[in-house]
Every structure is written in structure tokens, then in C-alpha cells.
Amino acid sequence: SLLGNKIEELSNYLKESYTKDLKSINQKMITFYPVTLEKINNMSCMHIKYIRQMASNPQVLVNVYFFQNYDRSHRLTLSYRLNEAVYWEDDFKKVLNSFRITNIK
């Protein structure tokens, strides 16, 4: 489908861009997941997810959510070390599910 092709193109572009940005700060991209379109609290968003690492430090899972609000864009980034997922995963799900944009025009 046309939308599927556009999302794949966007995923490829963002993977290259994020990989380059991480490299510039001495980090490496471990895994980049395909971009998805999702609904969070009835708000549409674009979800970018990847795992990054600096040297031999623990790997970090990063979730970035982009919400479009007419002439504004909102980004919510949630990240934690994978070896600490047991501490953060449930809390971050609650954070995400409590996120609301209230100044919708």
C-alpha cells in the first residue's frame, strides 16, 4: 500500500538519521524497529523505537512518540536501560497512558 511504502521510507530515513546522530556522540544503534502509527489516549502519534549503547555500558531502550496538534508538534521520549526494565517498564506504560494534550485548538 502507498501508506505502507511511505512508512517504510520514513523508517529507513529515521534509522539513518538517528544512527548518524548517535555516532556523533559516541553511541551506536543496536536495533531500530519499524516506525508505527498508533493511538495513545485517543490521540494519533508516530512511534519510533530503538536500542542504543555507549561503549560497553548497558543497552538503552528508547521510545519516542510524536503527536501532531494542528500547528504544533509534541514529542514524548521515554527511555531506560534494558537491564533495569523490571523497575521502569510498568511505570513508563502508566506515564504514556496518562499523557494528554489539553491545549488542542
Side-chain angles (χ1 to χ4, degrees):
S1 72
L2 182 60
L3 180 60
N5 290 342
K6 291 295 179 193
I7 292 172
E8 186 177 349
E9 285 177 28
L10 180 61
S11 286
N12 291 335
Y13 171 79
L14 290 172
K15 180 181 180 181
E16 285 180 32
S17 178
Y18 276 78
T19 300
K20 182 179 173 186
D21 290 347
L22 288 171
K23 189 175 182 180
S24 74
I25 55 172
N26 297 318
Q27 295 192 42
K28 62 185 171 186
M29 178 71 69
I30 303 299
T31 306
F32 188 89
Y33 299 90
V35 171
T36 57
L37 301 178
E38 300 179 8
K39 281 214 179 240
I40 307 292
N41 291 325
N42 221 19
M43 300 177 296
S44 297
C45 69
M46 180 174 64
H47 180 195
I48 299 165
K49 179 179 175 180
Y50 61 92
I51 299 171
R52 63 175 172 79
Q53 185 176 29
M54 179 183 276
S56 61
N57 292 336
Q59 294 181 357
V60 175
L61 175 65
V62 181
N63 286 283
V64 183
Y65 301 88
F66 283 98
F67 297 87
Q68 190 64 39
N69 180 15
Y70 297 97
D71 62 342
R72 297 179 185 155
S73 178
H74 307 273
R75 178 177 69 189
L76 176 64
T77 303
L78 302 172
S79 63
Y80 55 83
R81 293 179 192 98
L82 285 174
N83 64 355
E84 296 176 352
V86 67
Y87 302 110
W88 298 113
E89 194 169 25
D90 288 343
D91 287 344
F92 279 21
K93 283 179 188 171
K94 289 176 188 170
V95 168
L96 179 62
N97 289 322
S98 70
F99 181 75
R100 296 239 185 325
I101 299 171
T102 57
N103 62 340
I104 297 174
K105 293 185 173 189

